[in-house]
Amino acid sequence: MSTAPRKRLGQILIDKHLLLPEQLDIALSRQKESGKRIGQVLVDMSYASAGDIIMAFSEQSGVPHVWLRRGLVDSRVIDLIEPEMAASHGIIPMFKVYGVLTLGMADSSDMDTIDRIEKLTGFNVQPVQCRREDIEAAIEDYYGKSEQELAIQEESTESASSHGHREELRMLPEGTEGAHVINMVNRVLLDAVKEGASDIHIELDSVVSRVRFRIDGILQEVLTANPSGHPAIVSRVKVMSRMDIAERRLPQDGRILIKVEGKEIDIRVSTLPTVLGEKVVMRLLDKSRMKLDINLIGLSETNLAIYKSLLHRPHGIVLVTGPTGSGKTTTLYCGLSYISTVERNIVTIEDPVEYQLPMINQVQINEKQGLTFAHTLRSVLRQDPDVVMVGEIRDRETAEVAIQTALTGHLVLSTLHTNDSAGTVARLVDMGIDPFLLTSSINGVIALRLVRTICTHCRTVYSPDASFLKRIHWPEPETVFYHGRGCRHCFNSGLRGRTGVFECLLMNGTVRQVVVRDASTHAIRRAAQEAGMRSMKDEAFDLVARGLTTLEEIMGVVFLDDEESAPALAEAR
């Protein structure tokens, strides 16, 4: 029985619409002159990406390909191969399961290297195809760690304040009691800080214990482990955050302060009992990454001028709205830093206080002890404040006290959960606030979303479908569009980092009249746009035109309530 002939690499790329036949012909001619492999020639000529070549080679050879990223390499197997051999052969040991060593290789067809590693380690080798640059980066990352870099310093809030005690934790030698779990948790914390993760999720399902990082608002799986070790991992986190390790039936909250590479990281820890076991979520607050510069949060020139003008008013309310995690608190912090001077008494009421700000008096809410937003706000008014920030308006009582504060000569900043700026008024009316009071107290509303920006390491030009642009009413026919191809720096998503998309509504005379007459979201939005408000859609389109983000990324932000663009939204997703 004859087997089908193996497809050539170029034909696979053509079949997948990643290469044109005429490009292949040119590349083959160049290959004869240079003597290089056809895949390398295609990459050198920018006819295909390294990722395209790896996928095609994987299909051709039957060897699986892997996007090598942090978390896929088990530090315990690194020492099986010397760094010089790894670098010279383009390989990296990834992990070992039941006597089989998975080996990342730049050239998975190199049988001599596979045989040599099997003899050297005594394990069977399962090769996987990886990009050479990813392997080189992993070699530098894992073999180049200094002892100082691997150190994580842990500090309990309670012990640090009471006794000044600081315990330094290092990667423990294998064979030391508890070393595997301690090293794994330390490695997870170190990697999360390095990758700029905002949250760490450690959870159990019926097959594995899984670790995921939330990076730029998206969860990324970075590590899976044997489910039998999950309780030990949870217990280690509980010990670090001073929780009760014996309590597994009730949720718990804790806190860890660590110092990694000179950066202080405040970690808020939460555990939740599930049917399979406890889930741990750790929120990382990296003070060194918190740049409270109002000019750098993504406001356009027009919206920046509006926000600054609102902050300079002596009294009234400025509201920042958006969903959870959209950057509302950061936007307010930037505003407070902008107006903070020795001459002003600024007080904040927050739950929780995420970052401590200089020259600003910050109060932590404690509802269990009766320290609510409304109760605390009344007390703050006896402290002779000039500016008051209320972390969130959650109910009618807080809204009424905030309005009274604004009407008695104070500037009030706060947040509210609404979909857009116009919907803020309707939300407050639903709470039971008289529209007349809103027009008298609110100066402006800033709505925002966060969108991911294109990775600078793999940014490239592309051409979206013309009919798609027509359906979304794209205004500029000559625009040059960009996206990311995907690389190790962006978890192969093509996107890395985030910026804000803002919509600033000023409560001017025209809008006030509409609010009193008809407080519906549609009527307020129409009046604001007629008065010159730029919509979030316009701002998002500007980001795409400037090459900062992609059409696909902004679709879920600006078209959620746009009936005309609903088909395009479904297509983009």
Side-chain angles (χ1 to χ4, degrees):
M1 183 177 177
S2 62
T3 59
R6 191 170 72 164
K7 273 189 178 182
R8 293 184 178 274
L9 193 72
Q11 188 58 49
I12 293 174
L13 292 169
I14 291 173
D15 292 345
K16 291 182 176 295
H17 305 290
L18 298 172
L19 184 70
L20 297 174
E22 50 269 30
Q23 291 176 322
L24 177 59
D25 292 339
I26 297 172
L28 289 171
S29 298
R30 183 70 59 85
Q31 182 195 19
K32 292 177 182 178
E33 299 171 2
S34 65
K36 295 181 179 179
R37 293 190 174 188
I38 185 62
Q40 187 60 53
V41 173
L42 290 170
V43 172
D44 291 344
M45 298 182 71
S46 299
Y47 285 164
S49 68
D52 295 338
I53 299 300
I54 286 178
M55 285 189 288
F57 183 77
S58 176
E59 180 174 325
Q60 182 189 50
S61 63
V63 175
H65 74 277
V66 171
W67 299 112
L68 192 60
R69 63 178 189 271
R70 193 179 300 277
L72 285 182
V73 176
D74 186 345
S75 58
R76 293 172 297 171
V77 303
I78 283 293
D79 292 336
L80 291 175
I81 299 174
E82 293 295 325
E84 294 78 11
M85 177 181 288
S88 62
H89 290 79
I91 57 177
I92 184 82
M94 295 174 62
F95 49 85
K96 178 174 67 71
V97 179
Y98 297 124
V100 177
L101 176 67
T102 296
L103 186 69
M105 304 183 68
D107 181 5
S108 59
S109 64
D110 186 355
M111 299 306 299
D112 290 339
T113 296
I114 293 174
D115 290 341
R116 186 174 178 182
I117 298 302
E118 286 184 337
K119 291 177 182 177
L120 176 68
T121 63
F123 301 121
N124 294 324
V125 168
Q126 169 63 58
V128 293
Q129 183 71 40
C130 302
R131 291 189 295 190
R132 181 173 293 277
E133 56 265 36
D134 290 351
I135 289 179
E136 291 172 352
I139 290 172
E140 180 180 351
D141 192 24
Y142 284 93
Y143 286 109
K145 297 292 185 187
S146 66
E147 190 68 20
Q148 182 180 5
E149 190 178 26
L150 290 175
I152 298 180
Q153 292 178 319
E154 176 198 5
E155 178 183 350
S156 163
T157 305
E158 180 180 353
S159 62
S161 59
S162 303
H163 312 291
H165 173 70
R166 182 186 291 265
E167 179 184 359
E168 185 175 328
L169 300 180
R170 295 184 180 274
M171 297 297 180
L172 302 181
E174 288 297 328
T176 307
E177 183 177 359
H180 173 55
V181 173
I182 292 173
N183 289 348
M184 176 181 286
V185 173
N186 286 357
R187 171 62 66 184
V188 166
L189 292 174
L190 180 63
D191 287 351
V193 174
K194 282 183 168 294
E195 294 291 347
S198 62
D199 301 87
I200 302 171
H201 290 239
I202 303 176
E203 55 206 355
L204 185 67
D205 62 27
S206 58
V207 180
V208 295
S209 176
R210 179 178 290 105
V211 178
R212 294 188 290 173
F213 293 168
R214 188 176 293 279
I215 301 174
D216 298 332
I218 305 297
L219 282 172
Q220 308 275 4
E221 182 179 292
V222 297
L223 181 67
T224 58
N226 192 310
S228 63
H230 184 81
I233 296 172
V234 174
S235 294
R236 173 58 186 163
V237 174
K238 285 183 175 181
V239 168
M240 295 177 72
S241 53
R242 302 302 189 263
M243 295 182 188
D244 182 357
I245 63 172
E247 179 56 73
R248 298 184 179 91
R249 297 168 297 178
L250 295 175
Q252 295 188 67
D253 294 312
R255 187 179 182 186
I256 308 170
L257 291 179
I258 63 173
K259 192 170 184 180
V260 179
E261 298 177 346
K263 297 188 292 186
E264 290 187 356
I265 312 296
D266 188 353
I267 304 176
R268 310 291 170 85
V269 184
S270 171
T271 65
L272 182 70
T274 71
V275 293
L276 293 175
E278 287 182 283
K279 171 170 179 165
V280 176
V281 174
M282 294 184 275
R283 168 150 291 188
L284 282 67
L285 301 176
D286 184 351
K287 297 177 182 179
S288 67
R289 298 181 68 229
M290 187 75 168
K291 296 179 175 60
L292 300 179
D293 188 338
I294 195 173
N295 301 296
L296 300 178
I297 57 177
L299 285 158
S300 64
E301 186 176 341
T302 301
N303 286 337
L304 179 61
I306 291 173
Y307 190 24
K308 287 182 176 180
S309 70
L310 291 172
L311 293 170
H312 282 303
R313 296 193 185 185
H315 54 79
I317 299 177
V318 179
L319 293 172
V320 179
T321 73
T324 301
S326 61
K328 299 187 297 298
T329 301
T330 300
T331 301
L332 287 181
Y333 278 176
C334 288
L336 291 177
S337 296
Y338 174 68
I339 61 175
S340 177
T341 63
V342 177
E343 292 80 15
R344 280 195 178 96
N345 178 22
I346 302 176
V347 184
T348 73
I349 307 168
E350 305 174 61
D351 183 21
V353 174
E354 295 189 3
Y355 294 94
Q356 294 181 9
L357 307 175
M359 288 196 303
I360 294 177
N361 305 285
Q362 296 173 267
V363 181
Q364 171 76 51
I365 289 300
N366 189 334
E367 294 190 354
K368 292 182 179 179
Q369 297 181 1
L371 199 63
T372 63
F373 278 113
H375 181 270
T376 308
L377 183 53
R378 290 189 179 94
S379 300
V380 165
L381 291 178
R382 295 191 286 272
Q383 293 285 314
D384 185 31
D386 296 299
V387 181
V388 179
M389 187 194 97
V390 182
E392 182 183 352
I393 294 179
R394 298 176 177 175
D395 50 44
R396 178 177 177 175
E397 184 183 11
T398 306
E400 288 176 340
V401 178
I403 290 172
Q404 292 169 8
T405 304
L407 292 176
T408 53
H410 304 86
L411 180 63
V412 179
L413 310 180
S414 190
T415 70
L416 198 66
H417 287 274
T418 60
N419 289 329
D420 56 14
S421 58
T424 302
V425 175
R427 175 83 175 90
L428 290 169
V429 170
D430 288 342
M431 285 185 181
I433 306 300
D434 192 311
F436 175 76
L437 289 175
L438 297 178
T439 60
S440 303
S441 59
I442 294 179
N443 293 335
V445 181
I446 300 174
L448 76 148
R449 297 287 192 279
L450 291 177
V451 295
R452 291 179 294 169
T453 52
I454 299 171
C455 175
T456 56
H457 294 89
C458 59
R459 182 173 177 263
T460 186
V461 176
Y462 85 112
S463 299
D465 184 70
S467 60
F468 173 74
L469 295 176
K470 183 177 180 181
R471 287 198 296 279
I472 65 173
H473 311 294
W474 182 257
E476 300 292 338
E478 301 300 323
T479 304
V480 178
F481 293 94
Y482 295 88
H483 71 171
R485 286 182 177 272
C487 65
R488 69 182 303 269
H489 300 281
C490 59
F491 279 75
N492 302 294
S493 66
L495 300 162
R496 186 67 197 240
R498 289 191 290 180
T499 190
V501 184
F502 294 83
E503 181 179 84
C504 297
L505 184 152
L506 282 173
M507 189 66 76
N508 55 28
T510 303
V511 176
R512 285 192 175 94
Q513 291 177 8
V514 172
V515 170
V516 174
R517 185 175 65 250
D518 177 11
S520 69
T521 300
H522 179 72
I524 295 170
R525 168 170 287 281
R526 185 171 56 193
Q529 288 182 323
E530 289 174 355
M533 182 186 78
R534 281 177 58 82
S535 70
M536 198 175 292
K537 176 179 178 178
D538 294 333
E539 293 289 315
F541 274 6
D542 280 353
L543 292 177
V544 174
R546 289 160 54 195
L548 296 178
T549 190
T550 66
L551 283 170
E552 293 76 14
E553 179 65 14
I554 68 168
M555 294 299 284
V557 174
V558 299
F559 292 140
L560 285 177
D561 299 315
D562 188 339
E563 294 181 1
E564 293 181 6
S565 302
L569 171 60
E571 178 183 320
R573 289 180 172 176

